[in-house]
């Protein structure tokens, strides 16, 4: 009971401070349920990027991970962008360094660099275009023919894009440790237990092609794609292969449907470092401002702007 009272108090204070600071809270779908509940917008990387680009708020509190707050800062150089916990990193973003990209560019002067939005600002600054899991297929399909393409850093998403577009990509061997841990054996068990369920699978998942072999009618979708599909589908049961934070949003938007995680312990510890108390403290003290040097931000902004125009 005491914890519930504290949660309500913090939520009320956050709402008060939002108005006082002219602030907006953007939260990723993998955030804790109580953090999602105080957010003005909950979504995936593409949706959050678009909200960050068009917000009129003076302060953006980003309940996500560091690269997401960087993206908001790049798109809003005149606004204050806050990250409630500077420890909210990303194993995928950390898997590639700017030097890796620069080396490839020097070896492929006519090449095109496609950077997943899950990358650091310095990597985005070296890219020709950024993508999210929601629009990567469409972006790559529209690239000029006959030029080498470097897709980074997620190899599973890259393999999916390669399969869907028929384009030959050079893939960086990076992975999200949460999605990479979702394997075919997890899917097999639930196929037997839930034979009538629809299967929603994030393209970053390690099961990749084997998942589609086991379940040919499975839907490979971004987090936002999962939400839209589940809300519109006549099905009443879904097996979900992604970080389990999305289940709160799915159950909230479709309370009459059942959602079963493929892997109940598919938890991003970086996302979960952000708590309601940290959101409150960040707003109260304008704590943990995220800044990107303008010489980096200017180049990264071009790649991000190209991403926002697609899908």
């Amino acid at each position: 009971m005491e914890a519930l009272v504290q949660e309500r108090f913090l939520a009320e204070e956050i709402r008060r401070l939002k108005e006082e600071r002219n602030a907006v809270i953007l939260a990723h779908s993998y955030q804790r349920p109580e953090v999602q509940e105080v957010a003005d917008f909950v979504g995936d990387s593409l949706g959050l990027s678009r909200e960050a680009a068009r917000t009129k708020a003076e302060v953006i509190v980003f309940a996500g991970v560091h690269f997401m707050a960087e993206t908001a800062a790049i798109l809003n150089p005149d606004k204050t962008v806050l990250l409630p916990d500077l420890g909210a990193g990303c194993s995928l973003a950390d898997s590639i360094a700017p030097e890796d990209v620069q080396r490839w560019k020097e070896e492929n002067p006519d090449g095109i660099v496609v950077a997943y939005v899950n990358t650091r600002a310095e990597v985005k600054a070296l890219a020709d275009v950024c993508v999210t899991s929601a629009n990567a297929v469409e972006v790559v399909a529209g690239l000029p023919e006959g030029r080498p393409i470097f897709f980074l850093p997620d190899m599973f998403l890259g393999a999916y894009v390669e399969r869907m577009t028929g384009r030959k990509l050079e893939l960086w061997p990076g992975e999200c440790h949460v999605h990479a841990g979702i394997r075919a054996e997890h899917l097999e068990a639930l196929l037997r237990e839930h034979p009538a369920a629809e299967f929603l699978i994030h393209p970053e998942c390690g099961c990749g092609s084997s998942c589609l072999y086991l379940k040919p009618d499975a839907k490979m979708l971004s987090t936002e794609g999962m939400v839209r599909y589940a809300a519109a589908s006549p099905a009443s049961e879904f097996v979900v292969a992604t970080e389990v934070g999305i289940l709160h949003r799915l159950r909230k938007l479709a309370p009459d449907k059942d959602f079963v995680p493929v892997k109940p312990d598919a938890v991003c510890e970086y996302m979960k470092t952000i708590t309601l108390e940290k959101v409150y403290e960040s707003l109260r003290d304008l704590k943990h401002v995220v800044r990107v040097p303008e010489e980096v931000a200017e180049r990264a902004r071009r790649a991000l702007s190209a991403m926002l125009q697609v899908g």
Side-chain angles (χ1 to χ4, degrees):
M1 179 62 75
E2 185 177 339
L4 184 58
V5 170
Q6 175 71 356
E7 185 177 310
R8 287 175 177 168
F9 168 76
L10 289 172
E12 288 171 6
E13 284 296 291
I14 288 167
R15 293 186 182 99
R16 179 184 66 79
L17 285 167
K18 276 198 302 182
E19 187 171 345
E20 185 179 299
R21 301 284 196 196
N22 186 18
V24 63
I25 298 176
L26 306 180
H28 195 273
S29 295
Y30 297 161
Q31 285 293 309
R32 297 169 184 268
E34 62 271 22
V35 172
Q36 293 187 39
E37 287 301 310
V38 297
D40 297 285
F41 182 85
V42 181
D44 64 359
S45 296
L46 182 58
L48 293 173
S49 296
R50 285 186 169 139
E51 287 296 320
R54 62 178 167 236
T55 184
K56 298 294 191 288
E58 295 176 14
V59 176
I60 300 171
V61 181
F62 218 113
V65 292
H66 194 271
F67 76 79
M68 296 178 180
E70 276 190 334
T71 297
I74 290 165
L75 295 172
N76 294 276
D78 299 324
K79 299 183 186 299
T80 300
V81 178
L82 306 174
L83 182 64
D85 189 329
L86 290 178
C90 174
S91 61
L92 178 57
D94 289 343
S95 73
I96 190 164
E99 295 77 20
D100 301 315
V101 185
Q102 187 60 47
R103 189 180 309 114
W104 188 89
K105 286 169 69 76
E106 290 169 0
E107 295 171 356
N108 299 272
D110 191 40
I112 301 171
V113 177
V114 179
Y116 193 19
V117 75
N118 300 38
T119 46
R120 297 192 310 224
E122 293 82 2
V123 170
K124 291 181 176 73
L126 292 168
D128 295 287
V129 62
C130 289
V131 298
T132 71
S133 56
N135 70 0
V137 170
E138 187 176 356
V139 170
V140 170
L143 294 177
E145 298 280 354
R147 295 170 62 185
I149 301 172
F150 186 27
F151 189 98
L152 60 95
D154 192 279
M155 60 182 173
F156 296 116
L157 176 61
Y160 169 71
V161 171
E162 193 172 48
R163 186 167 63 248
M164 295 301 294
T165 62
R167 304 292 297 271
K168 177 60 181 171
L169 308 178
E170 187 169 335
L171 306 179
W172 180 258
E175 62 182 30
C176 161
H177 70 291
V178 176
H179 285 106
I182 299 175
R183 313 299 300 183
E185 56 265 29
H186 301 121
L187 184 69
E188 282 184 287
L190 289 173
L191 277 169
R192 294 190 297 270
E193 296 170 17
H194 303 274
E198 290 220 56
F199 280 64
L200 311 180
I201 301 171
H202 196 285
E204 282 184 35
C205 287
C207 52
S209 300
S210 58
C211 284
L212 291 176
Y213 174 77
L214 291 166
K215 182 70 172 172
D217 61 347
K219 306 298 185 292
M220 299 288 279
L221 299 165
S222 66
T223 51
E224 199 63 22
M226 290 181 182
V227 172
R228 288 196 301 268
Y229 185 86
S233 173
S236 60
E237 186 180 33
F238 300 85
V239 171
V240 182
T242 190
E243 209 272 356
V244 295
I246 198 174
L247 297 175
H248 173 73
R249 191 157 171 237
L250 287 168
R251 289 165 179 160
K252 182 179 178 181
L253 293 175
D256 56 332
K257 299 180 181 182
D258 294 324
F259 297 95
V260 181
V262 165
K263 195 167 180 278
D265 61 350
V267 176
C268 176
E269 66 270 27
Y270 299 110
M271 286 282 186
K272 301 303 190 281
T273 63
I274 294 180
T275 63
L276 207 57
E277 185 172 6
K278 289 176 182 176
V279 172
Y280 164 67
E281 291 173 352
S282 184
L283 255 178
R284 182 192 65 193
D285 304 330
L286 295 179
K287 190 163 66 172
H288 304 318
V289 177
V290 174
R291 296 184 177 91
V292 178
E294 183 52 33
E295 63 271 19
V296 174
E298 183 180 4
R299 289 181 289 142
R301 199 174 294 124
R302 290 196 293 267
L304 285 167
S305 296
M307 174 189 81
L308 295 175
Q309 293 170 16
V310 180

